[in-house]
């Protein structure tokens, strides 16, 4: 399956539940802006905790803001939730959905599916995370990824599916406690597999502009191999997005790969 070259990469920083104060959040974004990262070849997205959005969006227009989750109902009696519509009204452009840390807290493919639909109908871009907890010799993990992709995208139209960014994030490669780093070959195989599932379901044409990205212990040292050998269209970065210098390097390596 030969792919048309995507003309723009995307690098998404997932700050998770960091930093602790608004002041630190403003400082972090200001330092990221100073890294000389802006080019027409990479879209940079930062996903901070929701309560910092209003202040952070004043710092720069060149970095898009994303949310780490969103609820599918528009408004009403849903204690603790933030709706996609509310995020859209604040100028948020992207929503990470189905992150493994949310799945670990009980989120199902069915809930993620509803959230994707709400995100698309509000005109925001969903970043759907899929990934297996572990790999087994019988390749059962491939079935799990297939189920995640199919159930999360169930009922979504052909036209909408190409707007979704899919992030392959093997859970075993995420965070400080990662068992090991994934290899660029592992990413390539999985992105081909995911695209095959999608082309069987939605037709190959719809996939031409669709981006698949990699996440899980992305660092300046391994970024190039995921882009070049792995063919990644960009990254979902956790820890290194809290380090302006490293995040800047990952962005610039992505720009150079085009
Ligand atoms: P990490 O996190 O880069 O710290 O491994 C990635 C993620 O959870 O999206």
């Amino acid at each position: 399956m030969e792919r048309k070259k995507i003309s723009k990469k995307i690098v998404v920083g997932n700050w998770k539940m960091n930093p602790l104060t608004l002041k630190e959040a403003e400082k972090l974004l200001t330092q990221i802006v100073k890294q000389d990262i802006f080019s027409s070849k990479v879209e940079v997205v930062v996903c901070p905790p929701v309560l910092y959005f209003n202040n952070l969006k004043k710092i720069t227009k060149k970095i898009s803001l994303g949310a780490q989750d969103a609820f599918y109902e528009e408004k009403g009696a849903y204690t603790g939730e933030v709706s996609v519509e509310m995020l859209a009204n604040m100028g948020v452009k992207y929503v990470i959905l189905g992150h493994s840390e949310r799945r670990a807290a009980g989120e199902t493919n069915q809930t993620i599916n509803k959230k994707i639909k709400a995100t698309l109908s509000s005109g925001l871009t969903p970043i759907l995370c899929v990934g297996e907890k572990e790999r087994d010799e019988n390749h059962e993990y491939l079935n799990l990824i297939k189920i995640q992709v199919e159930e999360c995208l169930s009922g979504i139209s052909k036209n909408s599916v190409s707007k979704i960014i899919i992030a392959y994030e093997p859970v075993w490669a995420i965070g400080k406690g990662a068992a090991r780093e994934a290899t660029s070959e592992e990413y390539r195989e999985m992105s081909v597999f995911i695209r095959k599932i999608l082309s069987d379901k939605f037709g190959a044409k719809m996939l031409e502009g669709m981006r698949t990205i990699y996440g899980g212990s992305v660092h300046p040292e391994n970024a190039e191999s995921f882009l070049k050998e792995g063919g990644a269209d960009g990254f979902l970065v956790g820890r290194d997005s809290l380090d302006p210098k490293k995040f800047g390097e990952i962005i610039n390596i992505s720009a150079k790969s085009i």
Side-chain angles (χ1 to χ4, degrees):
M1 229 188 324
E2 200 45 52
R3 287 190 54 198
K4 211 169 90 181
K5 219 169 181 232
I6 299 261
S7 59
K8 201 167 184 171
K9 303 280 178 186
I10 183 161
V11 178
V12 183
N14 177 8
W15 288 5
K16 307 192 178 181
M17 203 169 71
N18 296 293
L20 200 52
T21 65
L22 171 62
K23 222 170 159 198
E24 285 172 89
E26 288 173 331
K27 188 170 163 213
L28 177 56
L29 188 64
T30 306
Q31 283 175 347
I32 291 172
V33 170
K34 284 191 190 143
Q35 300 301 310
D36 196 19
I37 49 172
F38 300 109
S39 102
S40 57
K41 293 179 177 165
V42 188
E43 163 134 35
V44 182
V45 183
V46 162
C47 304
V50 172
L51 74 170
Y52 299 148
F53 282 150
N54 247 349
N55 293 70
L56 295 185
K57 74 181 182 198
K58 293 180 196 140
I59 294 176
T60 178
K61 286 199 165 49
K62 291 186 184 165
I63 294 180
S64 303
L65 287 180
Q68 299 170 18
D69 185 35
F71 195 57
Y72 48 81
E73 295 290 355
E74 193 180 88
K75 63 185 175 76
Y78 303 100
T79 302
E81 300 290 0
V82 172
S83 76
V84 180
E85 205 54 39
M86 290 171 179
L87 296 170
N89 291 339
M90 278 193 123
V92 170
K93 297 267 182 299
Y94 293 88
V95 187
I96 298 173
L97 292 169
H99 190 279
S100 59
E101 286 152 17
R102 299 214 57 86
R103 290 180 189 264
E107 189 158 79
T108 62
N109 292 331
Q110 286 67 31
T111 309
I112 297 164
N113 176 253
K114 287 190 195 170
K115 292 181 173 184
I116 292 176
K117 287 175 179 159
T119 303
L120 288 167
S121 61
S122 298
L124 274 65
T125 302
I127 302 170
L128 166 64
C129 301
V130 296
E132 76 283 2
K133 284 200 199 119
E134 55 194 11
R135 291 202 162 195
D136 58 296
E137 280 173 17
N138 298 330
H139 299 94
E140 271 306 312
Y141 64 92
L142 291 172
N143 285 336
L144 183 123
I145 299 292
K146 189 164 189 272
I147 291 168
Q148 286 183 346
V149 171
E150 288 181 344
E151 292 188 350
C152 290
L153 300 182
S154 164
I156 289 169
S157 74
K158 267 187 182 184
N159 288 340
S160 296
V161 87
S162 62
K163 296 181 190 136
I164 300 172
I165 296 171
I166 298 199
Y168 171 57
E169 294 210 312
V171 183
W172 45 266
I174 293 177
K176 258 196 206 138
R180 63 171 176 90
E181 286 185 10
T183 64
S184 54
E185 296 79 57
E186 285 168 330
Y187 171 73
R188 178 176 279 283
E189 274 168 23
M190 195 56 92
S191 73
V192 168
F193 180 64
I194 291 169
R195 298 182 87 85
K196 171 79 176 111
I197 299 167
L198 294 172
S199 75
D200 287 349
K201 199 167 154 61
F202 298 99
K205 186 100 191 90
M206 285 305 148
L207 292 179
E208 278 180 2
M210 185 176 189
R211 288 182 287 192
T212 39
I213 64 177
Y214 173 72
S217 300
V218 175
H219 304 299
E221 296 77 18
N222 61 14
E224 191 179 337
S225 73
F226 283 111
L227 294 158
K228 292 217 167 130
E229 289 121 47
D233 297 320
F235 297 114
L236 182 50
V237 185
R239 281 156 295 159
D240 280 11
S241 70
L242 299 169
D243 180 323
K245 199 166 166 291
K246 287 185 183 171
F247 193 52
E249 277 177 55
I250 293 168
I251 296 164
N252 288 330
I253 290 166
S254 304
K256 276 194 212 121
S257 75
I258 289 201

